[in-house]
Amino acid sequence: MNVAILGVGTVGSSVANILKRNQDIISARAGMKINPVVGVVKDLNKKRDCDIPLTDDINSVIARDDIDVYIELMGGVEEPYRVVSQILKKKKAVVTANKAMLAYHRYDLQNLASDTPFGYEASVAGGIPIIKSLREGLSANHIKKIIGILNGTSNYILTNMMKNSSKFEDVLKKAQELGYAEADPTFDIGGFDAAHKLLILGSIAYGVRGKPEDILIKGIKNVSSEDIFFALDFDYVIKLLAIAKKTDGKVELRVHPALIPKDNIIAKVNGVMNGISVYGDAVGESMYYGPGAGGEATASSVIADLIDIARGNKNPMLGYQPTSKLEELELLPINEIKTKYYLRLRVEDRVGVLAKITNLMSENHLSIDSFLQKPRQSSDEYTTLFFTTHISLESDVKRVMGLLQNEPYVKERPFMIRIEG
Ligand code: NAP
Ligand code: HSE
């Protein structure tokens, strides 16, 4: 089986190298030899650590008749969508790791692909076979909930901030050097990459058609050392969570930093590792753990898709047969989310301020679960207050944050983290 690798960067070069290094076992499992016959790049002068023939002329590669499978590893959204559409129209199989493209175009691609094999295992959680697990292994279940750490870079940063008191920028740089981060790392730290992956899982679990702009997406950029101090003191850890669950006949999809109790199994997923807990009505909870980013781990999933194609396996791309009539579940509006919340406020340290804040919270239906005030430095006229709430409505919390921001005794924009578990 001849394959072309469109994009020979971190993941593409690992695919080429593993296909060569593990050729025996891959051929034995696939039932045929898988040959990477050409790679496409932008800059032919760049030094690379793999030795397949390269070109910068993508159109000449798409026009070839001797390629059986195209592996899209370029990144981006519209350009790869155009390229992949062109390939599918020629009825040639495609494998991709591109979750950003799938977050916007997965249903169009499913229609275009029809019976043509389309693999995307590597698009969610790097080396963990979560697509296969959800689409095939758990296919008998109604999925009640998915809670996951789906971005290796953010988890690597948060873990190092919590365990080694590292600085955000230093750890991000290290994650980029290790090949974990996206070409534009704001996708990682802004929560967008995890959201792209969540939308893919949401389609397999619930058939939802949302796009990134339809769901709640918050990143880790504003998580401070004070939040980490509070978390550690109250036996929590902070993780960037991706959550999909059925609530009142609708589907809730959200990505945001969350405080979770430190003995929760997801709390123990550290570094570049990803972890996904899936709750099915028949199976109960099952947990998937492994490396979420990096060339070799991601290439492992890409090649698993190639082997599936060589074996002639046929699975409906998003897990449902095209003829099935599913009730389409709506997305739960963001303001209707209910969970517990942590609030951090920087305020003037004087008589009556705390009373005003707690009054404002109670007038807006927020019930306080715990409270902490750090003793202030003698030279400082401000202090930091930390609150956690009982289960509250997102719209109430947002209203309180907006009202507090306009109070004269509040020095900085109030900051909130949702609490899970
Ligand atoms: P990367 O290192 O930036 O590699 C991208 C490759 O694509 C480069 O070789 C680049 O050429 C080539 N390229 C980009 N635009 C092109 C165009 N228009 N025409 C021809 N070649 C083009 O990216 P990566 O980390 O390997 O990621 C690739 C894909 O896998 C992305 O969709 C990413 O989201 C996904 N992914 C990555 C990881 C990971 O851990 N890195 C994990 C899961 C999924 P030059 O080398 O000449 O610049
Ligand atoms: N940038 C992504 C991450 C790569 O850090 O998880 C894997 O999809």
Side-chain angles (χ1 to χ4, degrees):
M1 187 168 90
N2 287 341
V3 303
I5 307 179
L6 312 180
V8 190
T10 305
V11 183
S13 54
S14 291
V15 169
N17 288 334
I18 298 171
L19 282 174
K20 189 170 173 188
R21 190 174 82 221
N22 291 358
Q23 189 183 314
D24 291 359
I25 193 85
I26 291 170
S27 303
R29 288 181 174 146
M32 62 184 75
K33 189 161 178 272
I34 300 179
N35 311 304
V37 291
V38 65
V40 179
V41 294
K42 271 197 298 202
D43 179 359
L44 282 170
N45 295 317
K46 229 188 236 180
K47 206 170 154 341
R48 310 182 189 262
D49 60 357
C50 68
D51 61 5
I52 58 166
L54 295 177
T55 172
D56 58 2
D57 181 1
I58 195 163
N59 291 324
S60 69
V61 175
I62 297 171
R64 278 171 69 159
D65 288 328
D66 62 331
I67 310 284
D68 302 299
V69 185
Y70 288 83
I71 312 174
E72 185 282 303
L73 295 170
M74 306 187 304
V77 175
E78 295 310 325
E79 173 67 0
Y81 175 53
R82 190 188 60 73
V83 167
V84 168
S85 302
Q86 224 180 319
I87 295 166
L88 290 173
K89 280 178 191 154
K90 291 182 68 184
K91 300 270 173 222
K92 293 285 183 150
V94 171
V95 171
T96 183
N98 189 336
K99 54 271 166 155
M101 172 179 74
L102 291 166
Y104 284 96
H105 295 299
R106 59 199 181 283
Y107 285 98
D108 315 325
L109 289 168
Q110 176 180 245
N111 288 342
L112 260 180
S114 186
D115 282 342
T116 306
F118 187 105
Y120 58 102
E121 182 63 68
S123 66
V124 183
I128 308 175
I130 186 64
I131 303 291
K132 205 173 242 312
S133 303
L134 194 57
R135 188 179 60 185
E136 291 151 52
L138 300 179
S139 55
N141 288 259
H142 282 288
I143 303 300
K144 294 193 199 167
K145 186 162 75 167
I146 300 172
I147 297 201
I149 293 175
L150 296 182
N151 185 263
T153 303
S154 298
N155 204 37
Y156 183 77
I157 294 174
L158 288 174
T159 304
N160 277 283
M161 284 171 75
M162 295 200 81
K163 288 194 181 289
N164 309 322
S165 307
S166 308
K167 289 216 176 79
F168 188 99
E169 278 72 22
D170 296 345
V171 204
L172 171 59
K173 193 159 167 275
K174 183 84 183 142
Q176 288 176 295
E177 285 164 13
L178 290 167
Y180 301 157
E182 295 302 301
D184 174 357
T186 49
F187 276 81
D188 297 292
I189 60 181
F192 304 105
D193 177 74
H196 295 157
K197 296 164 177 168
L198 183 68
L199 284 161
I200 296 170
L201 298 185
S203 286
I204 300 171
Y206 303 113
V208 289
R209 289 176 175 260
K211 292 203 159 71
E213 36 290 346
D214 303 326
I215 67 170
L216 171 69
I217 306 175
K218 298 279 174 211
I220 61 167
K221 191 78 183 92
N222 295 323
V223 174
S224 73
S225 52
E226 287 187 307
D227 303 322
I228 287 174
F229 157 86
F230 176 89
L232 294 174
D233 220 36
F234 278 66
D235 287 339
Y236 287 112
V237 296
I238 302 178
K239 295 286 179 193
L240 182 72
L241 288 190
I243 299 169
K245 64 175 167 187
K246 249 193 201 167
T247 306
D248 302 332
K250 296 188 178 159
V251 178
E252 191 174 330
L253 294 185
R254 51 188 163 104
V255 170
H256 53 73
L259 286 164
I260 44 178
K262 75 168 196 284
D263 52 5
N264 186 309
I265 193 161
I266 287 276
K268 299 181 197 311
V269 176
N270 286 319
V272 72
M273 291 296 172
N274 281 188
I276 307 146
S277 208
V278 183
Y279 297 75
D281 66 339
V283 72
E285 180 179 7
S286 56
M287 172 88 190
Y288 307 84
Y289 172 83
E296 290 259 315
T298 309
S300 159
S301 289
V302 168
I303 296 171
D305 277 344
L306 293 177
I307 295 173
D308 252 10
I309 292 172
R311 286 169 171 169
N313 287 352
K314 278 198 187 311
N315 287 296
M317 182 186 149
L318 293 169
Y320 299 98
Q321 298 296 348
T323 49
S324 57
K325 292 264 174 294
L326 279 182
E327 183 196 2
E328 271 198 22
L329 293 173
E330 276 176 51
L331 286 173
L332 185 80
I334 292 172
N335 278 338
E336 291 175 28
I337 290 169
K338 282 187 200 144
T339 188
K340 295 181 184 176
Y341 294 80
Y342 153 93
L343 304 179
R344 165 174 37 93
L345 303 175
R346 185 95 181 123
V347 298
E348 281 178 31
D349 193 6
R350 63 173 166 79
V351 171
V353 164
L354 183 58
K356 284 186 180 156
I357 294 169
T358 52
N359 271 341
L360 202 145
M361 287 169 90
S362 80
E363 281 160 13
N364 287 281
H365 325 294
L366 295 194
S367 164
I368 295 163
D369 188 27
S370 68
F371 167 68
L372 176 72
Q373 176 170 3
K374 277 209 288 185
R376 70 176 157 97
Q377 308 289 324
S378 52
S379 57
D380 195 354
E381 61 188 287
Y382 294 95
T383 189
T384 306
L385 307 181
F386 304 88
F387 297 88
T388 64
T389 72
H390 292 290
I391 296 227
S392 309
L393 193 60
E394 179 93 5
S395 56
D396 288 336
V397 176
K398 280 194 192 146
R399 188 175 336 102
V400 167
M401 305 253 300
L403 291 168
L404 283 172
Q405 194 172 338
N406 294 325
E407 290 294 320
Y409 50 81
V410 174
K411 187 180 181 220
E412 287 168 6
R413 196 185 162 91
F415 182 65
M416 162 266 269
I417 303 183
R418 295 163 189 84
I419 303 176
E420 287 296 322

